[in-house]
Amino acid sequence: MLEISLVNNTYSKSIIDLVLNIQQKEFNVPITIDDQPDLMRIDDFYFANGGSFWGAFINGELVGTIALVKFDEKAAAIRKMFVKKEFRGKEHNIAQKLLEKLISYCRENGIDEVYLGTISILKAALRFYERNHFTIIDKELLPSKFPVMNADNVFCFLDLKSNL
C-alpha cells in the first residue's frame, strides 16, 4: 500500500541512501553527498522558504522522493525526484503520484511556474516530464534565481497557469 507523506531531517539517512544509490550505482553520475548538502538540512533548505519534501512509502519502506525548492514568489524547482528501480513504472505509478502531490501543493500555494534540471542520460525521466506537459527549455531561459545543479544539462518548465 502506497503512502505519500512529508519527510524532514529525521528521514535524511534513508533519503541519502535512496538518492545516492540511484545516482551513483544505477546511473554512474559522479555526484556525492558533499555535492548535495541540502539532503542533510531538509528543513532549512526546503521547508523554510515555502517549499516542501515528500517521500513515497510502501509498507514503511522509503521507495521514492520528490522535493520542491521555492526560489521566487510564484516559481519553484523540482528536486530529488527519485524512485527505486523495482518500484518504477505504471504498475506502481509512484513517480506520477509524487508529481501530482507536488503540483497540488504548488496550486494551493500560488506557485505558477515549475522548473527542473536533470541530465540527458535519464531518458525515461525526460519522457515522463514531457508526458506531464513540461517543455524542455534552454538554460538561458531559466529565471536568474533558479538553483542550477552542476550535473544538470537539460532543463524543463511547466506553466501551471496554462495547464489547468
Side-chain angles (χ1 to χ4, degrees):
M1 172 94 172
L2 176 67
E3 179 191 337
I4 295 177
S5 56
L6 292 172
V7 292
N8 58 21
N9 289 341
T10 59
Y11 291 90
S12 284
K13 183 177 178 350
S14 299
I15 293 167
I16 290 166
D17 289 347
L18 174 86
V19 169
L20 285 180
N21 269 318
I22 293 169
Q23 290 172 326
Q24 295 173 347
K25 295 187 176 131
E26 190 176 343
F27 291 102
N28 298 310
V29 177
I31 193 167
T32 68
I33 187 59
D34 293 334
D35 299 316
Q36 307 172 83
D38 55 299
L39 293 178
M40 293 178 284
R41 348 183 330 259
I42 292 169
D43 295 349
D44 294 338
F45 192 87
Y46 293 97
F47 291 99
N49 296 320
S52 200
F53 204 122
W54 296 270
F57 296 86
I58 292 183
N59 300 323
E61 176 191 358
L62 181 69
V63 297
T65 60
I66 193 169
L68 187 74
V69 176
K70 187 174 178 190
F71 63 85
D72 214 338
E73 186 181 335
K74 295 198 171 292
I78 294 177
R79 283 275 185 82
K80 307 306 174 198
M81 173 67 146
F82 292 100
V83 176
K84 272 189 179 178
K85 190 175 193 170
E86 57 269 32
F87 293 99
R88 289 183 201 144
K90 294 219 186 311
E91 179 190 347
H92 295 286
N93 220 15
I94 293 171
Q96 188 66 43
K97 289 175 181 160
L98 283 166
L99 182 61
E100 287 167 5
K101 177 68 99 175
L102 180 140
I103 288 172
S104 292
Y105 177 88
C106 288
R107 292 187 192 288
E108 291 162 12
N109 289 278
I111 297 168
D112 296 330
E113 299 177 357
V114 180
Y115 296 85
L116 66 93
T118 187
I119 51 179
S120 52
I121 60 168
L122 302 179
K123 304 281 188 223
L126 283 168
R127 286 192 304 273
F128 169 78
Y129 291 123
E130 288 176 333
R131 271 196 316 274
N132 280 282
H133 312 289
F134 281 81
T135 53
I136 293 176
I137 61 170
D138 290 333
K139 186 176 184 179
E140 294 74 38
L141 296 176
L142 291 169
S144 59
K145 294 180 182 175
F146 178 82
V148 177
M149 296 286 293
N150 286 338
D152 292 342
N153 62 5
V154 180
F155 301 92
C156 300
F157 169 66
L158 177 66
D159 182 352
L160 290 177
K161 291 185 301 285
S162 64
N163 283 292
L164 302 173

